Amino acid sequence: MKHLQTFRLIEAVARAGSMRRAAEDMNITASALNRRVRRFEEEFGSELFERLPSGVRLNPAGELLLHHYRATLSDLARVQGQVADLTGERRGHVSLACSQALLPYFLPEQIAAYRAEHPRVTFGVNVRDRAEAEQDLASYASDLALVFEPIYLVDFEVIQIVPQTVHAVMAANHPLAQKPELRLRDCLNTPHIAPPARFGVRHLLDFAARKGSRQFSPVIESESFEMIRHYVLHEQMIGFQIPIGLRDPGDGSLAFRPIATRDIPAGSLILGQRRGRSLPVASARFALRVAAALKTQYGPEII
Amino acid sequence: MKHLQTFRLIEAVARAGSMRRAAEDMNITASALNRRVRRFEEEFGSELFERLPSGVRLNPAGELLLHHYRATLSDLARVQGQVADLTGERRGHVSLACSQALLPYFLPEQIAAYRAEHPRVTFGVNVRDRAEAEQDLASYASDLALVFEPIYLVDFEVIQIVPQTVHAVMAANHPLAQKPELRLRDCLNTPHIAPPARFGVRHLLDFAARKGSRQFSPVIESESFEMIRHYVLHEQMIGFQIPIGLRDPGDGSLAFRPIATRDIPAGSLILGQRRGRSLPVASARFALRVAAALKTQYGPEII
DNA sequence: CGACCCGTTGCAAAAAATGACACACACATT
DNA sequence: AATGTGTGTGTCATTTTTTGCAACGGGTCG
C-alpha cells in the first residue's frame, strides 16, 4: 500500500538505527529519506527520533506512532481478507508463534487440513519460547500464539486452553517403562535429558522438584525437543514432553508414561491472540479450527 | 495527514455519490479524482464503488475500507493526543453526542470545569436522539455519547449509568404542584406537552400509559425540551423532563415533581463509547470526569 | 590531526499528480 | 427521433512533488 510508504521508511530507520543505513535498505538516497522523515515529523507535530551523533533512535512519540502503524497495517490486512472473502476466493496469510511440542504432529495436521479447504491461504510458523511468543503478538509479528505455560498474560487474550500432563519419554526397554505412571522421584533418580529453563516443561519440572526439596539436574540440556525424543533411544535416559508432542512411532521403540499429577500438576497449553485485536479472516478461522481440535483431542477435562 | 488524502477523497466520493460532485467538493478536477480512486482500487485489489449510470455508490468492499479509514483516523488522533501529553501540553478534541436534557446545566458545567484545567482542549457537542447517538459512535463521528434510555446497545460500551426518574414540569401555581409526588393518572388527566416518540422520556411515558390501558396524548408535541420548559409557564399544562435537565430558576416560577416510580420506572442515563475503541486522551479524561460527576450527583442508588 | 560516519541542505533532474478538454455512454425531455 | 444533461474515463501539456547528487557542518575514534 503506497500511502503507508512513509511509515515503512520510518520503521526501517527505527530498525536500522541510522538514516543512511535505512536509506540503503529501502533503496533510496539518505537525503530523500531524511526529508520524508522531517516532513512527516512536521506534519505530525512532533519529532519521532532522538538525533544522536551516532545515529537516530525512536523517542516515545515515535514508539507510539510505530505502534499505530502496525495496528493500522494489521487492520488493513484484515479488511483485505474480508474483501477477498466477499469476492469468493479465500486467501490470506496466517502467522503464528508456537512451542516446539506442536511441530511434529499437531500443527502439520491442522495446517494441512486447513489448507486442503483453502489452498490460497499461506502460513508462517515461528518457533518461539514462552516469552518470545507473547512479544510476537504484541508487535503484530504473529497473529496467533500456541504456547505451553505462557508467562505474563498481559495483553494476551486466551482463545482456548487445554491441560497437558508432563510425560516421561524413554526407550521401550527402559526399566521405568514397566510402570503405567511415573512418580517425580522416579525421574529424578534416573539420568534425564531436558530443555533449558525458559521452556514450559522444564519450568514445571524445576518447580515440582524444588517443592519436594529435590533438584532437577539433567545430564543433557537441549533446546531441541526432537533431539531429546531421539536421544533417549541411544542411551538409557528419560526425556520429557507433553502429550500433544508425542505419538507412538509404531515400531515399539519409544515409550512415554505420564508423571503423576500429584507430583507435577498439569500445565496449560494456550491458544491466544493479542488482546482486543480483530484478526484477519484467515487467522480467525484457523484459530477456530485449532481451538476446536484442541478441545476435541485434549479437552474437556477441567484443569 | 497527507498520507490519508486518498481516503479522504474516497470518503468524499461516497458522500457525494458522484465523482464530479466530490471533485468539486475537494477542489480538484474529476479526472484527477477518478484516477486516484482507480489507482487505489487497483492497488487495493478490489473496486470500491458500484459504477451506476447516475453516479457511484460504495460496494461492500468500499464500506469495509471506509470503516478501516475511520478507525485509523481515530487511532491516529488518539496517538497524537498521547504525544501531546508527552510534550506537556494537553490539547485535543472531544466530540460527544448527547440528549437535550444535558444541554442547559450539566454539560456546560462539566465542559467549563474541564476546560478550566485544559484550555487547549476543544469540544464538539452534537445533539442527538437515542438512535442517532449510537450511530454517531459507530461511525466515529462522536467519541462519547451521553443519552437517556439508549435503544440498541450493540457495540455500545457503558462507561457510567445512573437512574433518572421522570419529573413533571409545571408552573408553580399549577394545582398539581401542591403534591410532593405525582401519579401517572394525574398527568394523563391534565393537558400535557411532550417530545415526540423517539425521545427517551416520551418512550417511558407511552409505555407506562399503555401498561395502564391508558393513552398518552399530548396537546403539544415539541422536539425542543427548552420550549417545553418555557411553555408550561404560559399555559396551565405539564411537561416532562429528567432531573439532570432541571434546576430551580430561583424566581419561584417553575415547579417540578417526580412521578411515582411504581407508575413509571426510572430510566437510565448512560455515558458510553463505541465498544472496544481506545479513545483519544482528552475524550477519555473527560469521560472519567463526567462519569464521576454523574455518580456523585445522581448515583449511587440502584436502578 | 585526519579518516570516518552521522544528519542535513541546495540545486537540478526525474517522477508523479494535476487540469483542461474530448469522448462514449445512459437517461430524460423535447 | 433529436437534443440536452448527467455520468465515468481516457489523452496530453503543465505544474507540483519527490528524488539523486554533491557538499557542508559536526561528532567520534585511531
Side-chain angles (χ1 to χ4, degrees), chain B residues 52-68:
Chain B
L52 309 169
S54 57
V56 296
R57 203 176 52 193
L58 279 178
N59 66 17
E63 306 256 14
L64 285 169
L65 187 78
L66 214 52
H67 183 270
H68 161 79

Side-chain angles (χ1 to χ4, degrees), chain B residues 90-103:
Chain B
R90 298 242 344 92
R91 73 170 81 184
H93 183 78
V94 180
S95 61
L96 85 166
C98 70
S99 298
Q100 274 189 60
L102 286 308
L103 299 178

